[in-house]
Structure formats: C-alpha cells, structure tokens
Amino acid sequence: MQTSTRLLRPVICLLLPLASVLPAAAKAPSLADFQALAAKSNSALTLPVYPVTPAEIKALAEDTIKKANAELDKIAAQDPAKLTFASTFGANDAVGLWTSTAFTVVGTIAESAVSKDMRDMANEMNVVLDSWSVSLDYREDLYRVLKAFADTKPALDPEQQRLVDHTMRGYRRAGLALPAAERKEVERLRKDLGALETQFAVNINGARAPLDFTAAELAGMPQSFLDSPGVKQPDGRYRVMANITWHAQTIGENADNADVRRKVLTTRYNLARDKNTPVLTKLVVLRADIAHRLGYANWADYRVETRMAKTGATALKFEEDLVTGLQPKFAAELETLRQLKATQTGKLDAQLELSDVAYYTNKLKKEKYAVDTEALRVYFPYQQTLEGMFAIYQKIFGLKFTAVEPPYVWAPGVQLYVVQDSATGAPMGAFYLDMFPRDGKFNHFACFPQKIGGVMPDGRYDLPVAALMCNFPVPSADKPSLLKHADVETLFHEFGHVMHGMLSRSRYYTLSGSTVPRDFVEAPSQMLENWVWDKAVLDTFAADYRDHTKKIPAATIDSLVAARQATEGYFSRRQLAIGLLDLSLHTLSADAAWQADIVQLVNDTTTRVSMAPPADTFWAAYIGHLAGYDAGYYGYLWAKVMSVDMASVFSASPGGFLDEKVGRRLRDEVYGVGNTREVADSVEKFLGRPRSMQPFLEYVGIKK
Ligand SMILES: [Zn+2]
C-alpha cells in the first residue's frame, strides 16, 4: 500500500470485529445501522441533503457560494508568518470537498428531477456555480497566500506535496504566475478563445444540408427510414438531412446506389466548412499563442500536461505507433471490403472509396457474422443481470452491497445501497440506482458522483456517495425488462465508475478517484466491458428468463466477438485519423500556426491514416471535439489500449475475469489510490510490468 492509504490503514484494521455489530438476519439493516457502524470506524456515512423546491435549490447554490467565499477570505487573510499546511492547502481543499456536494446535487437535480421547475432552476444555478468556480482560479489574494506557504518549501508527505503541486500548477496554467500585464493579456485571449469555440459549436449545430432523392435512388434503404417523420416530401421525393447523423449513417450503410452514398458523404464532409474554416484557423493560431505566452512549446503540451500522456509528443508517438501496429489488420479489412465491392459490381479491379466502407461493412456483418442481437435479450432480464453483476463486483473487489430504505429519493423507484468491505464490515460508501427512463430525465447511462470522499477537518473520513443513472427498457405486463448485450456492456462500464468513486481513499478532494487524468478515467470502466464477452462470466448470470437452464451458446459468443473484430482495424484507424489531425493542428508552434494550411494538414493526415476524404472537402470543420476536447481526442484510444492491457492481466490469471487476487490488486493499486500518485505508476503496479500495446493488437485480431 502507498502513502495515501497509510493514514487510513489503522482505521481499517480497528474495524475487524465490527461486522458483528449489525443485527443478525432477523431484521434487514437500516441506513442508521450502517451510519452507526461507520461512526465506529472514524468515518461518516452522510447522504447529501436534496432540495425539494426551486427556492431551496437557489438557496443551496447561493449559501454555498457565500459560505465558501467567507472561508476562502479567511484563508487569504492569514498572517503570512503563521501559515501551516492545514491552514492553507488543507483548508482550501476542504472548501472544495464540501462545496463539490452542492455542485453534484444541483447537477443531479438538473438531470433527474420529476418537476420541470426544479430542473430549470437547477440548470440556472449550475451556470451560477460554474462561473463562480471559474472565478476562483483568478483569486489573487488566495494565490498569494498559498504561494507564500509553498515557497517556504515545507517538509510534506507525498500526498500533501502532490496537493500543493497540483494546486500551484492550476494557478500557473491560469496565468497567475505571469506579471500582471501579461496575465491580463492571457485572460483577454482566453475570452476570445472561449467566444471562438462557442462560435465553432454554434456553426456546427446550425449546419443544415437537405438532399432530396427519388424512391428509385434510395433502393436498399429500410422502409422505416422512408416512413420517418419529415422524410417523405409533398413532391413524392424523400429528404435526407446530411447533417443528421443517423440519416447519413443509414444512407452510408444501406443505399445501394454508390452515387447517392458519395453525394451524402461529400455533403456531410462540407458541413459548416465556409463558416468554420476561418474559425478553426483562428482557433489554432490563438491556442498556439496562448500556449507560448504560458511557457509551453505548443497547445498540445499545455492541454496534455495534466493528463497521463504529459506531453503532446508522447500522445503523438502513441498514436503513430498504433497506426503502424494496426496496418496489417487495417489493410486486410479494406481488401475484404474491396472484394465484396468487386463481386457486387462485377469489376475485378473495383476501388474502395470512403463512401463504400459502411455499406460493405454492413453487408459483411449481415452475410458473414449474422448475430440476432434482439434474440439475445432473453438471456438478460434486468434484475437477474443487475444481481449477476453485483455478485461479480462484490467477489472480485471484496465488497458487500446491501439495499437500504433511502430517507429521500428524487423520483419514485430510486434505490439506495450501502457498500461494505466484506472482510471487515466497514462501510465504504453508498450508491443510488435510478435505472428506468421518465420524462425530462437524462437520457443516456452515466455515474453521477453525489459526494466525493475525503478527510474532514475533524479527522473522520467522509464516505463517498454516487448515483447510477440509466435508461433500461421498462418491464411490460407479460415480460420483464430485457436488456441488449450492448446494454449489459454499458451497465458493467458505468458501474465501474461507481466502483471508482466508492473505493477511492484519498485524503484530499483534489486527488480523489474521479479526478484522475481525463485520458485515464475511462480505462478501468472500459476494462470491465470485457467481462460481458467472456463465457465463464456470462454463465454466472445470463440465462433464458423462461428457462434458467438455457445459457448463451459458445458459438453465439464467438460470433459476437468475430463480428466486433471484423472491422476493428478500420474503426481504430478512423479514430487515429481524428486523433492525429487534432494533434497535428495543436503541436504547431506559434509561428508555424500562422503559416499553416490547416485544410491541407487535415486532409493529408486523414488520407495517410484512414482513407482519402472526398475531393474539395474539409471535415474538420464539422468535428465538434476540436472545440472543447481539442488536443484530447487521442485520449479515447489511449484509455482503450490501456483498458485491454489491464483486462489481459485478469484473463491470464487462474480465476480469469473472476480472479479475486487480481481484483483486489485493482482495488488497492488503482481505485484506492485515485489521483494521489502518478496514474502511470498505479497502472504498472497493477499490471506488474510495463504497459504494452500488444494485448490491444490481439484484441483487434492481430495474432502475435
Ligand atoms: Zn465511462
């Protein structure tokens, strides 16, 4: 165990006899029982208080800001001669810990409240809280006091030192280390940058491209598309909106007419081009300029500094190595698709175009790897799947989940569970489940932290609380809720984020589990997706709900894997094309950015890494990630490659994906330490070896 948990370890040891404190099976334990148990282990299991009226939401946001400002004022007003770690960085972090609960509660209400008035007020307060939190970066009085203490070079333990370093890095990145005039200039440029980024997004959202086709031209398209609202026009033709992703995808996958596919793709690749080419050009120049003023060689170095990759060059090398590693699979996949085209068109030397890829991929999947995903639903009734996943996570991470009666829920049907360490009985945290859709609720699947864990000023550990929000199919009168295989994968992924929150044991809010770098945060959850592709795992819970003796046949799972692998090389190279065009724009020096021909740069990179875009197009103008996730797109594959690397440790262990020893190591070395040390170290401690790209290459189907 590392330093971060050393502080807490004695506490955990003291807990050994406490499991017996809970009343025996006769009566289901209540939240109060667990709270009493937590108190005995020097921790607090406290649920956030949820406002129940719009006025209470407003009061929560305003009181939080008022109280936090008062506490920050106190920190800033200290006698510079009497500063201590606790009175400076410790106190500053503690404000972050309790104010973050107001942020998460308001954010949760905005996404989940039954009443629209509640959601509207929460959205309004979200904006207020966000802008207040941004303003904290520019509190010079606070900065000066923190810097004064940091400059004394105090002797600190590694976790405290990391808190100091991260806090000071944040100020430096905001420009506070610059002389006043230069800082003002950076602030001004950042405002311009924000406005330009908004403009870029607005231009994307506003782009419209209707294309009308006759029924004959749309041969191959599903009837459900032709019958969709707004598609059939009064003149009998059918309108395809090239800017609506599912329209363009349905054409790409199904339209038999190659000219139609090409026309829709070319139109899509020119969306927002006129407006956004100049905006992106300015963005690239401005970002390079800001990075230069803050002391970085380029914008990628600035952006990547806080991530696991650390520098633009490291991210770039990772992507280029993957381009090379994937080449054999990528080339083979394209050749398979080209042969399908040659057969269909009767031209032996047919060339594959970008607008052919989705079409022949769809054909390949239908003809060669047909898996009826709808039929698989019978194996995944909701409750059975949830309990199956719980059993797996409890086993591998050494935990126990118990449902308790929640004192308050934001909507009917929301459930509350307490998490305990299964060996000691010590409560670790609590999570809510809000699993089915309703009007006005967040419409994807995600983990919403409700409370971050951390040590409170009185020394007790404030236990974390999370909420899992999902939208599974609602049960009907004659059938339970039946999940798709993809839903089960999502459930395993999202619950991984819940685990990350529950198991983090950092002392400081700033270094807790979910604050790990953005190019890492998805990796453990992506790793857990692998569980639902493994027969041994699936057999522990997946069974036909009408006849529990029926498990998923091995051949079906093999077909699922083969179908996934069939185009994984192409898909990854496509991701690399976006990642690399993003990095190519953002590794330019300030001088080079002025002279760069960004259209040429983007199109050359795309052609080299993926496939040539249609002539005279500029698809980067319509890639929304370039404003907001700029110099960050590489992170998707970075995390994915690492997730497969991590999963390979489980699959190679005696217990496979159910191995408790490996699970425990993940809990201790990755989840538990959160961001209290370099994530790269945590990952290697878990792997027991340096990171490797090889498991990922095998995952996409490249044999060693
Ligand atoms: Zn995720």
Side-chain angles (χ1 to χ4, degrees):
M1 277 227 180
Q2 296 307 295
T3 337
S4 62
T5 38
R6 203 168 51 206
L7 180 89
L8 296 167
R9 202 214 271 272
V11 172
I12 290 168
C13 295
L14 283 174
L15 279 170
L16 276 167
L18 292 182
S20 58
V21 170
L22 285 181
K27 180 176 152 270
S30 68
L31 178 65
D33 293 329
F34 287 110
Q35 287 173 324
L37 194 52
K40 288 185 177 157
S41 59
N42 200 30
S43 54
L45 180 61
T46 321
L47 301 172
V49 177
Y50 294 87
V52 295
T53 64
E56 283 183 22
I57 300 172
K58 192 161 189 284
L60 171 66
E62 289 173 352
D63 292 350
T64 299
I65 293 175
K66 214 167 119 193
K67 192 172 154 217
N69 280 342
E71 288 193 22
L72 295 171
D73 288 346
K74 256 201 282 177
I75 300 171
Q78 292 176 83
D79 177 352
K82 292 185 184 154
L83 304 178
T84 65
F85 176 83
S87 78
T88 55
F89 289 88
N92 186 50
D93 184 80
V95 173
L97 179 61
W98 70 259
T99 54
S100 74
T101 308
F103 280 77
T104 55
V105 162
V106 172
T108 301
I109 294 172
E111 297 287 3
S112 71
V114 175
S115 138
K116 184 171 182 302
D117 290 347
M118 291 283 285
R119 296 196 303 270
D120 287 349
M121 178 56 85
N123 276 316
E124 208 179 295
M125 287 305 112
N126 258 338
V127 176
V128 173
L129 285 167
D130 276 347
S131 95
W132 171 74
S133 119
V134 170
S135 75
L136 295 184
D137 278 354
Y138 297 97
R139 276 201 62 160
E140 210 176 334
D141 55 346
L142 199 55
Y143 168 69
R144 265 193 259 114
V145 165
L146 294 173
K147 184 171 185 300
F149 178 71
D151 285 350
T152 64
K153 302 257 181 285
L156 301 171
D157 71 42
E159 197 172 343
Q160 291 174 327
Q161 187 60 50
R162 193 165 167 86
L163 178 64
V164 169
D165 293 345
H166 276 226
T167 309
M168 295 316 288
R169 185 180 73 183
Y171 283 118
R172 177 169 52 73
R173 291 170 58 79
L176 264 83
L178 297 174
E182 283 177 48
R183 194 183 75 217
K184 280 266 165 291
E185 184 61 7
V186 169
E187 267 180 56
R188 190 184 66 77
L189 293 173
R190 294 198 75 128
K191 280 200 182 114
D192 291 352
L193 183 68
L196 273 174
E197 286 180 339
T198 303
Q199 191 59 54
F200 190 79
V202 165
N203 291 342
I204 286 178
N205 291 337
R208 297 281 180 279
L211 296 167
D212 289 352
F213 297 103
T214 63
E217 286 173 317
L218 293 185
M221 287 293 280
Q223 192 59 39
S224 58
F225 177 86
L226 303 176
D227 292 343
S228 296
V231 170
K232 181 140 192 202
Q233 297 301 299
D235 66 1
R237 295 201 295 168
Y238 295 88
R239 178 156 296 173
V240 174
M241 300 294 290
N243 55 290
I244 298 180
T245 304
W246 78 268
H247 276 210
Q249 269 173 357
T250 312
I251 289 280
E253 289 172 4
N254 299 283
D256 291 327
N257 186 324
D259 290 335
V260 169
R261 294 198 304 265
R262 193 179 302 115
K263 188 167 179 185
V264 171
L265 184 85
T266 305
T267 306
R268 193 167 168 83
Y269 267 49
N270 269 326
L271 286 169
R273 178 185 175 182
D274 293 345
K275 287 183 178 168
N276 268 352
T277 307
V279 174
L280 187 58
T281 306
K282 278 189 217 159
L283 276 172
V284 167
V285 170
L286 195 51
R287 285 168 180 162
D289 185 22
I290 293 171
H292 177 72
R293 287 167 189 269
L294 288 170
Y296 298 84
N298 54 57
W299 183 249
D301 276 357
Y302 169 72
R303 290 285 273 175
V304 181
E305 181 189 24
T306 58
R307 309 216 171 125
M308 194 175 165
K310 300 271 188 234
T311 66
T314 305
L316 202 59
K317 179 175 184 313
F318 163 79
E319 297 252 298
E320 290 294 358
D321 286 350
L322 201 49
V323 169
T324 308
L326 286 166
Q327 179 58 27
K329 185 70 179 7
F330 174 70
E333 285 174 15
L334 290 189
E335 178 54 20
T336 303
L337 299 180
R338 197 200 65 78
Q339 283 172 11
L340 283 177
K341 183 175 180 179
T343 309
Q344 179 168 328
T345 58
K347 291 180 191 150
L348 283 180
D349 62 346
Q351 293 299 306
L352 194 71
E353 292 174 42
L354 183 57
S355 54
D356 293 328
V357 173
Y359 180 77
Y360 290 105
T361 296
N362 190 29
K363 244 185 173 18
L364 181 74
K365 289 204 168 170
K366 272 194 194 149
E367 289 169 9
K368 201 169 164 198
Y369 302 107
V371 177
D372 185 350
T373 51
E374 282 301 306
L376 279 179
R377 283 182 189 265
V378 297
Y379 297 102
F380 301 118
Y382 165 75
Q383 194 61 33
Q384 182 182 314
T385 306
L386 182 77
E387 284 166 18
M389 180 192 68
F390 277 0
I392 291 166
Y393 285 22
Q394 289 177 100
K395 176 177 154 61
I396 62 179
F397 297 130
L399 301 171
K400 184 170 182 237
F401 306 155
T402 309
V404 293
E405 192 59 42
Y408 168 80
V409 289
W410 50 84
V414 174
Q415 296 168 295
L416 178 66
Y417 286 79
V418 172
V419 177
Q420 287 169 280
D421 179 276
S422 61
T424 66
M428 307 278 299
F431 62 86
Y432 292 94
L433 295 183
D434 181 356
M435 304 299 259
F436 297 100
R438 63 178 173 270
D439 257 4
K441 181 182 148 180
F442 168 79
N443 59 7
H444 291 279
F445 299 74
C447 167
F448 286 68
Q450 300 297 295
K451 231 175 115 170
I452 307 296
V455 175
M456 296 186 290
D458 66 9
R460 287 179 305 152
Y461 199 83
D462 200 10
L463 295 170
V465 181
L468 186 63
M469 249 185 255
C470 297
N471 286 277
F472 290 117
V474 183
S476 63
D478 58 336
K479 255 196 239 163
S481 164
L482 297 175
L483 313 189
K484 284 191 293 187
H485 180 252
D487 292 335
V488 182
E489 187 178 49
T490 304
L491 179 63
F492 272 69
H493 175 111
E494 296 304 338
F495 200 72
H497 289 309
V498 175
M499 290 290 95
H500 211 154
M502 294 294 108
L503 298 176
S504 165
R505 279 299 169 272
S506 65
R507 271 182 280 166
Y508 304 113
Y509 156 72
T510 308
L511 305 175
S512 70
S514 51
T515 64
V516 290
R518 199 165 169 180
D519 53 2
F520 175 73
V521 70
E522 291 299 327
S525 285
Q526 286 177 323
M527 180 200 75
L528 290 160
E529 291 174 13
N530 290 277
W531 272 234
V532 308
W533 297 81
D534 181 77
K535 179 141 172 75
V537 170
L538 289 171
D539 281 352
T540 64
F541 68 90
D544 192 320
Y545 76 100
R546 298 156 303 187
D547 174 359
H548 280 210
T549 62
K550 284 191 183 151
K551 305 278 185 188
I552 306 176
T556 305
I557 297 171
D558 291 347
S559 300
L560 275 177
V561 173
R564 176 182 61 67
Q565 276 187 345
T567 51
E568 197 90 54
Y570 175 79
F571 176 77
S572 302
R573 285 282 285 255
R574 194 87 195 134
Q575 294 286 86
L576 286 167
I578 303 176
L580 279 166
L581 75 84
D582 175 25
L583 286 171
S584 72
L585 294 175
H586 295 120
T587 43
L588 298 169
S589 68
D591 285 345
W594 272 106
Q595 289 150 24
D597 177 345
I598 67 164
V599 176
Q600 184 87 29
L601 202 54
V602 163
N603 287 344
D604 286 355
T605 304
T606 308
T607 304
R608 177 173 68 83
V609 179
S610 172
M611 286 184 79
D616 195 26
T617 58
F618 184 52
W619 71 312
Y622 199 64
I623 300 179
H625 290 83
L626 294 173
Y629 202 31
D630 38 287
Y633 202 89
Y634 79 90
Y636 287 124
L637 274 172
W638 177 278
K640 176 79 185 171
V641 167
M642 199 162 29
S643 76
V644 178
D645 198 11
M646 289 163 71
S648 74
V649 178
F650 275 97
S651 52
S653 71
F657 289 120
L658 302 174
D659 195 284
E660 291 168 39
K661 244 173 108 180
V662 181
R664 183 70 208 202
R665 203 157 80 229
L666 186 77
R667 173 176 158 181
D668 292 342
E669 299 291 359
V670 176
Y671 286 138
V673 291
N675 198 16
T676 59
R677 68 176 174 208
E678 288 298 303
V679 184
D681 295 345
S682 299
V683 172
E684 298 208 342
K685 280 197 158 58
F686 166 69
L687 294 173
R689 56 165 171 77
R691 282 183 283 143
S692 166
M693 201 172 263
Q694 193 56 39
F696 179 76
L697 295 177
E698 284 165 35
Y699 167 89
V700 305
I702 298 174
K703 301 273 176 285
K704 243 195 214 166

